[in-house]
Amino acid sequence: MSRPLRPIRDFAQAVFEPLEPKETPAASFQLYSFEAFDRREPTETSGETIQSAKWRVQTGDVLFAKLNPRIPRVWMVGSTPNKNAICSTEFVPLRMTTGEVLPAYLEITAQAPQCLVPIQAAVKATTKSHQRVRPDFILDQRIPVPSHEEQLRTIARVREAMERVEEIESLQQERLRDSERLLGASLTEVFRETTSKHPPRTLGSVLKDCRYGTSTKCRAEPDHVAVLRIPNVSSGVLSLEDLKYCARDAVDEASLLSQGDLLIIRTNGSPSLVGRTVVYQPDPSKISPKTKVSFASYLIRLRFDESRCIPEFVRYYLASSAGRQAINRIRRSSAGQSNINSANIKLISLPLPGIDEQRRIVERLTEIERASCALAIETDHNVDTKSLRTAILRQAFSGKL
């Protein structure tokens, strides 16, 4: 038997108290932002570092993100000695108006799919990156309102279940780190040995071409030329998901990719992504060999003289500790972005054995990389913790947990 549901507005209201932290630059604030939500810990900062307006919040407020509700962000403001608790204006602060519902219980039920799905459906037609839900639509959502005793029991059971999920995620992360350490240690060992046997050569000495990508505006609708962007290469493995396209006359022939081209991220707000590489070897089952492919201006394309240098050998070297150190030496920072340029990339030195030995090294490292990826995939597929969290919240909403 289903439990009766009541709209959130029966016991909570949206409270918007604007505040300009920069007007009190020396004051200390506890900021509930999207970035802090990902860490599940508000940021302690001063007013001078916060340049935009915020909402003032208080202990027990439940923050519901109105931006991109397909990514659930619901967060209860915890008890704090800092009276200057504030949140991003992309949150809707919900404050209890009666004693019927405990804030922690609202936090749980507002995240349940029974509450979220109608909200997500309501904004489906808008632009994905700027979907926003109206505060009154959040307040219209209906949740069960059992006795305080049952609410407390639900809160305790959900927290206990979520702690178990976090333990599983911690074990998964440790296994992923093990897989990364396996490849990292192998790269270090191989290139330490290679460096001791072979004199260094600059990348520029074995390049046939080095160029920046197109800055042409792209669109999602398939057109003549697919354009690879940072998301297609940032994992270190070529991804052909979520491709963007441009017209054929928007890029010249020299900017089209060929099998074996090496793409390197030249600029990003995350320093760890700068210098990350992938070799263009597309899977014909995922993209037609007839499709012309170019690359965006945030990337640099290196084309090697393959009679002297194997692209995969360079990819492995730049992923090694020695290669990352070489990237860090040429990386510069400006306006919050880390950058490398083509001139400095050409000056990077690496130990370069003959082609036959390069091939043997690549084969050896490819085997190790496959084993590392298999471990990571096995870990990822063991337990789907995202689905597990959703199931816990669904059961809690239904009173079956």
Side-chain angles (χ1 to χ4, degrees):
M1 181 177 177
S2 61
R3 300 191 293 176
L5 307 178
R6 292 173 56 191
I8 293 173
R9 67 172 67 254
D10 278 4
F11 43 81
Q13 64 181 356
V15 178
F16 303 108
E17 299 179 12
L19 181 71
E20 289 283 356
K22 63 184 178 183
E23 294 180 357
T24 53
S28 173
F29 290 90
Q30 190 173 56
L31 174 61
Y32 287 78
S33 63
F34 280 15
E35 181 183 359
F37 175 86
D38 293 337
R39 303 190 308 269
R40 296 299 193 279
E41 184 178 351
T43 303
E44 295 286 346
T45 187
S46 62
E48 65 181 350
T49 67
I50 306 171
Q51 298 304 307
S52 58
K54 305 297 177 189
W55 301 132
R56 187 189 293 277
V57 294
Q58 65 186 38
T59 299
D61 286 351
V62 176
L63 311 180
F64 194 111
K66 63 181 180 180
L67 177 66
N68 298 339
R70 72 185 189 280
I71 305 172
R73 298 183 181 94
V74 182
W75 198 3
M76 185 183 74
V77 178
S79 58
T80 170
N82 189 341
K83 295 180 181 179
N84 291 328
I86 56 176
C87 75
S88 164
T89 54
E90 294 294 357
F91 281 114
V92 175
L94 302 177
R95 187 167 298 167
M96 303 303 108
T97 54
T98 72
E100 293 178 86
V101 174
L102 301 172
Y105 178 78
L106 176 59
E107 180 187 32
I108 289 167
T109 50
Q111 295 180 72
Q114 294 97 319
C115 186
L116 280 175
V117 170
I119 292 173
Q120 293 166 337
V123 296
K124 212 171 196 179
T126 58
T127 305
K128 279 191 174 182
S129 60
H130 294 95
Q131 292 178 337
R132 283 184 175 83
V133 62
R134 300 189 317 273
D136 61 335
F137 195 77
I138 297 170
L139 292 168
D140 286 340
Q141 299 314 301
R142 303 168 74 86
I143 68 168
V145 185
S147 66
H148 270 202
E149 183 181 3
E150 187 176 342
Q151 289 182 44
L152 288 168
R153 188 161 51 244
T154 298
I155 293 166
R157 287 174 177 171
V158 168
R159 286 176 176 171
E160 182 181 0
M162 291 301 185
E163 284 177 4
R164 299 291 179 268
V165 175
E166 288 171 5
E167 289 173 5
I168 293 170
E169 288 174 335
S170 179
L171 291 171
Q172 289 181 332
Q173 289 299 316
E174 184 58 35
R175 291 198 70 182
L176 286 173
R177 286 191 288 270
D178 286 344
S179 70
E180 292 168 358
R181 284 193 285 263
L182 171 63
L183 180 60
S186 300
L187 291 172
T188 298
E189 178 187 351
V190 166
F191 287 108
R192 182 186 295 126
E193 181 181 346
T194 307
T195 299
S196 68
K197 294 180 178 178
H198 302 279
R201 299 277 186 86
T202 63
L203 283 179
S205 69
V206 290
L207 281 174
K208 293 171 67 177
D209 186 60
C210 177
R211 70 177 59 229
Y212 296 95
T214 178
S215 56
T216 300
K217 188 174 182 180
C218 298
R219 53 187 178 271
E221 296 76 18
D223 207 330
H224 289 83
V225 180
V227 179
L228 297 183
R229 302 165 299 126
I230 288 178
N232 301 112
V233 305
S234 59
S235 69
V237 177
L238 180 64
S239 168
L240 298 175
E241 303 295 326
D242 193 26
L243 286 174
K244 302 299 181 187
Y245 299 84
C246 68
R248 176 65 188 88
D249 59 4
V251 294
D252 57 38
E253 194 73 26
S255 295
L256 297 178
L257 292 171
S258 298
Q259 187 93 357
D261 285 347
L262 186 140
L263 294 171
I264 182 167
I265 298 174
R266 71 172 184 87
T267 182
N268 197 265
S270 172
S272 64
L273 287 182
V274 174
R276 194 166 291 187
T277 63
V278 71
V279 175
Y280 182 66
Q281 293 173 329
D283 183 342
S285 69
K286 295 183 178 179
I287 188 169
S288 168
K290 295 181 181 179
T291 302
K292 296 184 182 297
V293 182
S294 187
F295 56 104
S297 59
Y298 296 117
L299 307 173
I300 292 176
R301 193 268 310 279
L302 306 181
R303 182 170 289 170
F304 293 93
D305 176 355
E306 294 193 37
S307 67
R308 302 171 63 197
C309 181
I310 297 174
E312 284 287 358
F313 180 85
V314 177
R315 180 177 79 85
Y316 282 125
Y317 177 75
L318 292 178
S320 71
S321 57
R324 290 306 304 174
Q325 288 170 14
I327 291 292
N328 292 341
R329 283 194 291 269
I330 65 170
R331 191 181 69 224
R332 300 292 180 266
S333 181
S334 175
Q337 293 287 105
S338 294
N339 307 277
I340 55 177
N341 60 48
S342 59
N344 285 333
I345 288 173
K346 292 177 183 178
L347 297 177
I348 291 177
S349 294
L350 75 165
L352 203 64
I355 283 292
D356 289 342
E357 186 174 346
Q358 287 183 47
R359 193 170 288 114
R360 285 193 294 272
I361 289 172
V362 167
E363 289 173 356
R364 175 185 170 188
L365 290 173
T366 299
E367 288 182 8
I368 295 169
E369 186 174 32
R370 283 174 182 159
S372 174
C373 288
L375 178 60
I377 291 170
E378 180 188 350
T379 299
D380 193 45
H381 288 177
N382 275 345
V383 179
D384 183 354
T385 55
K386 182 178 179 181
S387 296
L388 193 54
R389 287 178 182 275
T390 300
I392 291 168
L393 294 169
R394 185 189 300 276
Q395 293 294 89
F397 188 100
S398 302
K400 298 176 182 178
L401 190 64

